[in-house]
Amino acid sequence: MTHYWQTSAIFNFQSLLTVILLLICTCAYIRALAPSLLDKNKTGLLGIFWKCARIGERKSPWVACCCVIMAFSILFLQ
């Protein structure tokens, strides 16, 4: 029996994947609404958000499929 309140997303692989998927989807959504927020920071530490937005835009069918699979897994398999 796993206690979810004791583990963080770093040590739980499924939680880590969920956080990454949410980051990609959120960054792509923010870039669709206000592109200037992410486009001015293409390098450095904040460039991670720009790269996540690009992944979300270019691989959107794959990201959407992963989101559906993750949602099914969280809702019905846990």
Side-chain angles (χ1 to χ4, degrees), residues 2-73:
T2 305
H3 297 284
Y4 292 104
W5 54 271
Q6 291 180 346
T7 60
S8 67
I10 296 172
F11 301 112
N12 186 350
F13 185 67
Q14 185 174 5
S15 296
L16 180 64
L17 288 178
T18 304
V19 169
I20 291 171
L21 279 173
L22 286 173
L23 180 66
I24 289 171
C25 293
T26 303
C27 289
Y29 181 73
I30 290 172
R31 189 166 189 277
L33 290 180
S36 62
L37 288 176
L38 294 177
D39 286 345
K40 62 184 175 184
N41 297 320
K42 292 183 180 180
T43 59
L45 186 61
L46 294 177
I48 294 171
F49 301 118
W50 180 79
K51 291 174 186 175
C52 287
R54 296 298 287 179
I55 291 170
E57 292 170 352
R58 293 184 178 185
K59 302 290 184 189
S60 60
W62 291 102
V63 171
C65 182
C66 289
C67 286
V68 169
I69 292 170
M70 186 62 66
F72 180 82
S73 169

